[in-house]
Amino acid sequence: MKPEDLLQHLSPNPVQKCTLGCPILDRFLGGGIPCNSITELVAESGCGKTQISLQLLLSAQLPTSLGGLSASSLYLFSESPFPLRRLHQLSSSFPTLHNPMDNILTHPLHSAHHLFDVLSQIDSLLLSRPTSFPPIKLIVIDSIAALFRFEFENNARDLKQRSGLFFKISSKLKEQARRFGLAVVVINQVVDVIDDSDSLRIGSSTCLYTSQRKVSAALGLSWANCVNTRLFLSRNEERVADEDCFTATRTRRFIRVVFAPHLPDSSCEFVITREKVFGLER
């Protein structure tokens, strides 16, 4: 019996999952993004972590019969303005959704402490929602690393405070996820690995690779212990020659399971188009 099978056997009720809007990606993730836990998307800029998050905001609104959550979402952003134009482009692949922004709440974040304050305040929103508004079942934080980038110095005192705030934020998110059946998606960034001796094995691999660079997830081991599932997105440029011997550059993107209680170490190639994000069969 596999470990993931044992976990399912011990759990009397199967965990609800939210479709990514693509059957190939859903199969790769064992049905989609799980509720009751924190899923982290780790990647450098341009790999598609925000694109996947936006598609999740749309797929969460689908009925449960189609793999959705029949729910609304909360999108907390810390860096750029909410990408409304891109969301509308992706919504063309969800023709059954009318006015999808009506079921998406957005809120800016200014610091890690501000995030914790917001999470403490949304309990009342999750408890007492208007009857005409679908329940919130998906929370996306874009991105967690940006909130800690300038708030703490690289000294023992600040690092201890930072770790303490990691656990306060993640404990609050996990408590809300379990209490309200939420799918929580947290976006994280990467840092370059310069010295192999400094790398630490987390999950299925010591180091991760993207754009021909060796990287690791930002925020270190303390934050890695705060999430339930870590998915790593990467991109690589390839030169492709056509019949006339002209070469062009093609971008290939992959999503990989770094660690998860219900998934094996595996990867899947995916493509981003104007209309949607979708996986490729091997």
Side-chain angles (χ1 to χ4, degrees):
M1 179 179 287
K2 297 179 181 179
E4 55 266 28
D5 296 332
L6 179 60
L7 287 173
Q8 291 177 358
H9 178 72
L10 294 174
S11 178
N13 299 315
V15 175
Q16 186 179 15
K17 295 176 181 176
C18 180
T19 175
L20 275 79
C22 167
I24 295 174
L25 292 177
D26 286 345
R27 285 196 299 273
F28 166 68
L29 293 176
I33 300 296
C35 296
N36 306 338
S37 65
I38 301 175
T39 299
E40 181 191 47
L41 301 180
V42 177
E44 67 171 326
S45 177
C47 284
K49 51 191 185 294
T50 297
Q51 307 286 326
I52 290 177
S53 298
L54 292 176
Q55 189 154 298
L56 277 170
L57 297 179
L58 297 167
S59 59
Q61 300 179 46
L62 295 173
T64 55
S65 60
L66 296 178
L69 302 176
S70 298
S72 54
S73 305
L74 174 62
Y75 191 94
L76 305 174
F77 57 94
S78 60
E79 293 187 281
S80 304
F82 180 76
L84 181 60
R85 181 178 178 183
R86 180 59 181 147
L87 182 78
H88 280 302
Q89 289 177 340
L90 293 172
S91 67
S92 64
S93 295
F94 295 81
T96 59
L97 299 181
H98 304 290
N99 301 318
M101 272 304 298
D102 290 347
N103 294 323
I104 299 174
L105 303 177
T106 63
H107 191 78
L109 298 172
H110 308 301
S111 67
H113 287 95
H114 183 214
L115 169 60
F116 184 75
D117 291 340
V118 170
L119 294 177
S120 301
Q121 295 167 9
I122 65 174
D123 276 342
S124 58
L125 178 63
L126 295 170
L127 281 169
S128 57
R129 60 178 178 85
T131 55
S132 60
F133 192 73
I136 294 174
K137 290 289 186 179
L138 171 66
I139 294 180
V140 177
I141 301 174
D142 185 3
S143 74
I144 191 70
L147 297 174
F148 287 91
R149 185 181 298 147
F150 303 113
E151 196 168 346
F152 297 92
E153 299 293 334
N154 191 25
N155 57 61
R157 178 175 174 272
D158 275 23
L159 291 177
K160 182 178 180 180
Q161 290 182 347
R162 188 182 78 160
S163 294
L165 193 52
F166 284 167
F167 293 117
K168 285 177 64 177
I169 290 172
S170 63
S171 295
K172 186 62 178 177
L173 284 170
K174 288 177 180 177
E175 184 267 328
Q176 290 173 329
R178 289 190 296 265
R179 182 180 180 188
F180 300 104
L182 307 178
V184 178
V185 176
V186 178
I187 291 176
N188 196 3
Q189 298 163 358
V190 299
V191 293
D192 289 295
V193 174
I194 306 300
D195 185 355
D196 283 340
S197 63
D198 294 335
S199 62
L200 182 67
R201 184 181 180 89
I202 299 176
S204 60
S205 177
T206 303
C207 293
L208 306 169
Y209 295 86
T210 181
S211 299
Q212 287 76 51
R213 295 157 45 220
K214 189 179 295 185
V215 301
S216 64
L219 304 182
L221 180 61
S222 294
W223 175 252
N225 288 324
C226 293
V227 301
N228 303 102
T229 297
R230 170 169 285 175
L231 304 175
F232 174 64
L233 281 62
S234 62
R235 56 177 289 170
N236 289 292
E237 306 292 335
E238 293 185 354
R239 291 188 174 274
V240 181
D242 59 19
E243 296 177 353
D244 299 320
C245 296
F246 290 105
T247 59
T249 301
R250 179 181 66 170
T251 301
R252 298 184 67 186
R253 292 178 171 87
F254 294 86
I255 181 170
R256 177 181 178 182
V257 177
V258 179
F259 60 79
H262 60 295
L263 296 172
D265 177 16
S266 55
S267 63
C268 177
E269 186 172 2
F270 69 98
V271 175
I272 301 173
T273 65
R274 177 184 173 87
E275 294 78 18
K276 66 185 303 184
V277 180
F278 60 92
L280 298 179
E281 294 279 12
R282 293 196 174 208

